[in-house]
Amino acid sequence: MSLSIDRDKHQTADKPTLYKQIRLDIERRILTGEWPPGHRIPFEHELMAHYGCARMTVSKALSELAQADLIERRRRAGTFVRRPKFLSAVLTIPDIRAEITALGRSYGYQLIQCLRRAANAADRARLGVRKTGKVIAIACRHSADGVPFAIEDRLIDLDAVPEAATADFAVEPPGTWLLHHVPWTEAEHSISAIVADDKAAAALDIAIGAPCLVIDRHTWRSARTLTAVRLVYPGESHKLVARFKGG
């Protein structure tokens, strides 16, 4: 267990404040990526010993983190950092590979290009940052049962996600890798329609001028952009669905 907290400070705090501090300590480790998705949180008795507090204090902090969907508690196995969930391409971040396999179709992936380079002005503008060092620019194609499903144009900020420098995107799709390795706190989708130019038509095996659905997405962690991606789908074979409930 790697907890570098000033215990004396915590032990002098009153109990109502202490449980909040425990929650904030764990939340900070999750949101900064120190404890990535799937990481096991120390057991309750370990947290009790570290903070010098009762089980009820620890349990209350963990309960609030679970309610915030930051952790999940598994019977007998322990407590783990929750992997971000996805429900649809509109309201949450989908894993295209999981989306296709959930439909009972065979998933295919082709890495077209992967370049690591110094960020230029266009990269910074796309990411919405004033300064950044290096980026990874990725182009790839997803297919379902051998038929093109979507093409992806992605930019990853290596200053914000340094671990992406060692990821093998020839094997694992970048979206899948990011969802399983990098916590995020905010995302934005912009949905539009275009007609396929010659490049998109060739990649998606559709006619030039055919309608396409476009999703532009930015993902942030603590106000820092992690990645910007454009996904282009054949318009006739893809739709977005979201279900809402009134307040």
Side-chain angles (χ1 to χ4, degrees):
M1 176 176 67
S2 58
L3 288 168
S4 55
I5 308 299
D6 185 345
R7 290 187 58 185
D8 292 336
K9 179 180 178 181
H10 287 303
Q11 289 175 333
T12 58
D14 57 21
K15 289 185 178 180
T17 302
L18 180 54
Y19 97 82
K20 291 182 181 179
Q21 187 62 54
I22 295 171
R23 175 177 60 80
L24 290 173
D25 287 343
I26 295 174
E27 182 177 298
R28 177 179 61 80
R29 283 174 166 77
I30 293 172
L31 296 181
T32 60
E34 181 181 343
W35 287 355
H39 178 85
R40 184 182 69 78
I41 305 296
F43 289 113
E44 285 193 7
H45 69 269
E46 294 174 311
L47 293 171
M48 290 165 57
H50 178 79
Y51 290 101
C53 64
R55 181 179 295 274
M56 183 180 297
T57 303
V58 169
S59 181
K60 187 174 183 180
L62 294 178
S63 294
E64 288 196 358
L65 289 165
Q67 290 173 2
D69 283 336
L70 288 175
I71 64 173
E72 57 181 332
R73 308 175 83 173
R74 305 175 190 168
R75 187 177 180 183
R76 298 183 180 178
T79 302
F80 299 83
V81 177
R82 182 182 292 276
R83 300 185 188 279
K85 290 185 176 181
F86 48 88
L87 297 175
S88 75
V90 182
L91 299 179
T92 57
I93 298 179
D95 179 346
I96 293 180
R97 181 171 67 181
E99 187 178 19
I100 291 173
T101 56
L103 295 173
R105 304 173 71 181
S106 176
Y107 174 75
Y109 168 72
Q110 178 188 6
L111 179 64
I112 300 171
Q113 181 176 285
C114 184
L115 297 175
R116 184 166 61 174
R117 64 174 185 246
N120 56 38
D123 295 333
R124 291 190 293 272
R126 185 178 176 190
L127 290 168
V129 296
R130 292 185 177 181
K131 295 181 180 180
T132 192
K134 292 184 177 182
V135 296
I136 296 180
I138 301 169
C140 56
R141 176 168 54 190
H142 308 271
S143 62
D145 292 337
V147 177
F149 184 84
I151 52 175
E152 176 176 339
D153 174 19
R154 182 181 294 271
L155 199 62
I156 300 176
D157 186 344
L158 280 176
D159 284 0
V161 192
E163 56 269 42
T166 58
D168 188 354
F169 294 121
V171 176
E172 186 171 20
T176 302
W177 183 88
L178 286 163
L179 281 172
H180 287 84
H181 292 85
V182 182
W184 53 274
T185 56
E186 186 177 359
E188 178 185 87
H189 285 140
S190 175
I191 303 169
S192 59
I194 63 170
V195 294
D197 58 16
D198 55 351
K199 185 177 179 180
L204 293 171
D205 194 20
I206 57 178
I208 296 175
C212 294
L213 176 69
V214 178
I215 298 178
D216 288 295
R217 179 168 63 239
H218 286 76
T219 309
W220 294 272
R221 180 173 65 209
S222 301
R224 181 61 192 258
T225 307
L226 302 175
T227 181
V229 61
R230 165 166 279 206
L231 297 163
V232 181
Y233 301 84
E236 294 183 355
S237 61
H238 198 88
K239 63 179 180 180
L240 301 176
V241 177
R243 179 174 295 182
F244 302 84
K245 287 187 177 180

